[in-house]
Short mmCIF file of all heavy atoms in Angstrom, two decimals:
data_model
loop_
_atom_site.label_atom_id
_atom_site.label_comp_id
_atom_site.label_asym_id
_atom_site.label_seq_id
_atom_site.Cartn_x
_atom_site.Cartn_y
_atom_site.Cartn_z
N GLU Y 44 -5.26 -8.34 10.18
CA GLU Y 44 -4.82 -9.74 10.05
C GLU Y 44 -4.38 -10.27 11.41
O GLU Y 44 -3.20 -10.45 11.67
CB GLU Y 44 -3.67 -9.84 9.04
CG GLU Y 44 -3.98 -9.34 7.66
CD GLU Y 44 -4.94 -10.24 6.89
OE1 GLU Y 44 -5.15 -11.40 7.31
OE2 GLU Y 44 -5.47 -9.80 5.87
N PRO Y 45 -5.33 -10.55 12.31
CA PRO Y 45 -4.96 -10.93 13.68
C PRO Y 45 -4.16 -12.23 13.78
O PRO Y 45 -3.43 -12.43 14.74
CB PRO Y 45 -6.30 -11.05 14.41
CG PRO Y 45 -7.33 -11.13 13.35
CD PRO Y 45 -6.77 -10.49 12.13
N ASP Y 46 -4.26 -13.11 12.78
CA ASP Y 46 -3.51 -14.36 12.85
C ASP Y 46 -2.14 -14.28 12.17
O ASP Y 46 -1.38 -15.25 12.17
CB ASP Y 46 -4.32 -15.50 12.23
CG ASP Y 46 -4.65 -15.27 10.77
OD1 ASP Y 46 -4.77 -14.10 10.36
OD2 ASP Y 46 -4.80 -16.25 10.02
N PHE Y 47 -1.79 -13.13 11.62
CA PHE Y 47 -0.47 -12.94 11.00
C PHE Y 47 0.52 -12.57 12.09
O PHE Y 47 0.32 -11.63 12.84
CB PHE Y 47 -0.54 -11.82 9.94
CG PHE Y 47 0.75 -11.61 9.20
CD1 PHE Y 47 1.04 -12.35 8.07
CD2 PHE Y 47 1.68 -10.68 9.63
CE1 PHE Y 47 2.23 -12.17 7.37
CE2 PHE Y 47 2.87 -10.49 8.94
CZ PHE Y 47 3.14 -11.23 7.81
N ARG Y 48 1.62 -13.34 12.18
CA ARG Y 48 2.64 -13.08 13.20
C ARG Y 48 3.89 -12.52 12.52
O ARG Y 48 4.67 -13.28 11.95
CB ARG Y 48 2.96 -14.36 13.95
CG ARG Y 48 1.79 -14.82 14.79
CD ARG Y 48 2.07 -16.04 15.65
NE ARG Y 48 3.42 -16.04 16.18
CZ ARG Y 48 4.19 -17.13 16.23
NH1 ARG Y 48 3.75 -18.27 15.77
NH2 ARG Y 48 5.41 -17.06 16.74
N PRO Y 49 4.07 -11.21 12.54
CA PRO Y 49 5.24 -10.62 11.88
C PRO Y 49 6.53 -10.95 12.62
O PRO Y 49 6.58 -10.93 13.84
CB PRO Y 49 4.96 -9.12 11.90
CG PRO Y 49 3.99 -8.92 13.00
CD PRO Y 49 3.22 -10.19 13.15
N GLY Y 50 7.55 -11.25 11.81
CA GLY Y 50 8.86 -11.51 12.40
C GLY Y 50 9.80 -10.36 12.18
O GLY Y 50 10.48 -9.90 13.09
N GLU Y 51 9.84 -9.86 10.95
CA GLU Y 51 10.75 -8.78 10.59
C GLU Y 51 9.98 -7.69 9.87
O GLU Y 51 9.15 -7.97 9.01
CB GLU Y 51 11.85 -9.33 9.68
CG GLU Y 51 12.91 -8.34 9.31
CD GLU Y 51 13.97 -8.95 8.41
OE1 GLU Y 51 14.08 -10.18 8.35
OE2 GLU Y 51 14.69 -8.17 7.77
N TRP Y 52 10.27 -6.44 10.20
CA TRP Y 52 9.60 -5.29 9.59
C TRP Y 52 10.60 -4.47 8.77
O TRP Y 52 11.77 -4.38 9.12
CB TRP Y 52 9.02 -4.37 10.67
CG TRP Y 52 7.71 -4.82 11.21
CD1 TRP Y 52 7.50 -5.57 12.33
CD2 TRP Y 52 6.42 -4.56 10.67
NE1 TRP Y 52 6.16 -5.78 12.51
CE2 TRP Y 52 5.48 -5.18 11.50
CE3 TRP Y 52 5.96 -3.87 9.55
CZ2 TRP Y 52 4.11 -5.12 11.27
CZ3 TRP Y 52 4.61 -3.81 9.31
CH2 TRP Y 52 3.69 -4.43 10.16
N LEU Y 53 10.10 -3.87 7.72
CA LEU Y 53 10.84 -2.86 6.95
C LEU Y 53 9.92 -1.65 6.85
O LEU Y 53 8.89 -1.70 6.17
CB LEU Y 53 11.21 -3.37 5.55
CG LEU Y 53 11.91 -2.38 4.64
CD1 LEU Y 53 13.26 -1.97 5.23
CD2 LEU Y 53 12.11 -2.96 3.25
N ILE Y 54 10.25 -0.60 7.55
CA ILE Y 54 9.44 0.62 7.57
C ILE Y 54 9.99 1.57 6.51
O ILE Y 54 11.19 1.84 6.47
CB ILE Y 54 9.47 1.30 8.96
CG1 ILE Y 54 9.10 0.30 10.06
CG2 ILE Y 54 8.57 2.53 8.98
CD1 ILE Y 54 7.71 -0.29 9.94
N GLY Y 55 9.14 2.07 5.65
CA GLY Y 55 9.56 2.97 4.58
C GLY Y 55 10.14 4.27 5.11
O GLY Y 55 9.62 4.85 6.07
N ALA Y 56 11.21 4.71 4.49
CA ALA Y 56 11.88 5.94 4.91
C ALA Y 56 11.02 7.17 4.67
O ALA Y 56 11.17 8.18 5.36
CB ALA Y 56 13.21 6.09 4.17
N ASP Y 57 10.09 7.09 3.71
CA ASP Y 57 9.24 8.23 3.38
C ASP Y 57 7.93 8.25 4.16
O ASP Y 57 7.12 9.15 4.00
CB ASP Y 57 8.97 8.28 1.89
CG ASP Y 57 8.31 7.01 1.37
OD1 ASP Y 57 8.06 6.08 2.17
OD2 ASP Y 57 8.07 6.93 0.15
N GLY Y 58 7.70 7.25 5.02
CA GLY Y 58 6.49 7.21 5.83
C GLY Y 58 5.23 6.86 5.08
O GLY Y 58 4.13 7.09 5.57
N LYS Y 59 5.36 6.27 3.89
CA LYS Y 59 4.19 5.94 3.09
C LYS Y 59 3.83 4.46 3.11
O LYS Y 59 2.72 4.10 2.72
CB LYS Y 59 4.39 6.39 1.64
CG LYS Y 59 4.47 7.88 1.49
CD LYS Y 59 4.63 8.26 0.05
CE LYS Y 59 4.74 9.78 -0.10
NZ LYS Y 59 4.94 10.17 -1.49
N SER Y 60 4.76 3.61 3.55
CA SER Y 60 4.48 2.18 3.54
C SER Y 60 5.44 1.43 4.46
O SER Y 60 6.45 1.97 4.90
CB SER Y 60 4.58 1.62 2.12
OG SER Y 60 5.85 1.90 1.57
N ALA Y 61 5.08 0.17 4.74
CA ALA Y 61 5.90 -0.72 5.54
C ALA Y 61 5.61 -2.14 5.08
O ALA Y 61 4.55 -2.41 4.52
CB ALA Y 61 5.58 -0.57 7.02
N ALA Y 62 6.55 -3.03 5.32
CA ALA Y 62 6.37 -4.43 4.94
C ALA Y 62 6.82 -5.32 6.09
O ALA Y 62 7.70 -4.95 6.87
CB ALA Y 62 7.18 -4.76 3.69
N ALA Y 63 6.19 -6.48 6.20
CA ALA Y 63 6.55 -7.43 7.25
C ALA Y 63 6.59 -8.83 6.66
O ALA Y 63 5.79 -9.17 5.77
CB ALA Y 63 5.53 -7.39 8.39
N ILE Y 64 7.52 -9.64 7.15
CA ILE Y 64 7.59 -11.06 6.80
C ILE Y 64 7.14 -11.82 8.04
O ILE Y 64 7.51 -11.48 9.16
CB ILE Y 64 9.02 -11.46 6.41
CG1 ILE Y 64 9.44 -10.73 5.13
CG2 ILE Y 64 9.13 -12.97 6.21
CD1 ILE Y 64 10.86 -11.01 4.69
N SER Y 65 6.35 -12.87 7.83
CA SER Y 65 5.86 -13.66 8.96
C SER Y 65 7.01 -14.39 9.64
O SER Y 65 8.09 -14.58 9.05
CB SER Y 65 4.80 -14.66 8.49
OG SER Y 65 5.36 -15.59 7.59
N VAL Y 66 6.78 -14.79 10.86
CA VAL Y 66 7.80 -15.48 11.65
C VAL Y 66 8.30 -16.73 10.92
O VAL Y 66 9.49 -17.01 10.92
CB VAL Y 66 7.25 -15.84 13.05
CG1 VAL Y 66 8.20 -16.72 13.82
CG2 VAL Y 66 6.92 -14.59 13.83
N ASP Y 67 7.39 -17.46 10.28
CA ASP Y 67 7.79 -18.68 9.58
C ASP Y 67 8.32 -18.42 8.18
O ASP Y 67 8.77 -19.35 7.49
CB ASP Y 67 6.64 -19.69 9.53
CG ASP Y 67 5.40 -19.15 8.83
OD1 ASP Y 67 5.46 -18.06 8.22
OD2 ASP Y 67 4.36 -19.82 8.88
N GLY Y 68 8.27 -17.18 7.71
CA GLY Y 68 8.80 -16.82 6.39
C GLY Y 68 7.93 -17.23 5.22
O GLY Y 68 8.32 -17.04 4.07
N VAL Y 69 6.75 -17.75 5.47
CA VAL Y 69 5.86 -18.21 4.41
C VAL Y 69 5.05 -17.06 3.80
O VAL Y 69 4.80 -17.04 2.60
CB VAL Y 69 4.91 -19.32 4.93
CG1 VAL Y 69 3.89 -19.72 3.89
CG2 VAL Y 69 5.71 -20.53 5.39
N GLU Y 70 4.67 -16.11 4.62
CA GLU Y 70 3.82 -15.01 4.17
C GLU Y 70 4.49 -13.67 4.41
O GLU Y 70 5.44 -13.56 5.18
CB GLU Y 70 2.47 -15.03 4.88
CG GLU Y 70 1.61 -16.21 4.55
CD GLU Y 70 0.28 -16.13 5.26
OE1 GLU Y 70 0.27 -16.05 6.51
OE2 GLU Y 70 -0.74 -16.13 4.56
#
Side-chain angles (χ1 to χ4, degrees):
E44 301 289 346
D46 61 331
F47 184 87
R48 292 184 37 222
E51 184 180 342
W52 279 94
L53 177 63
I54 307 299
D57 58 0
K59 294 182 181 178
S60 57
I64 295 177
S65 63
V66 172
D67 59 9
V69 174
E70 293 182 302

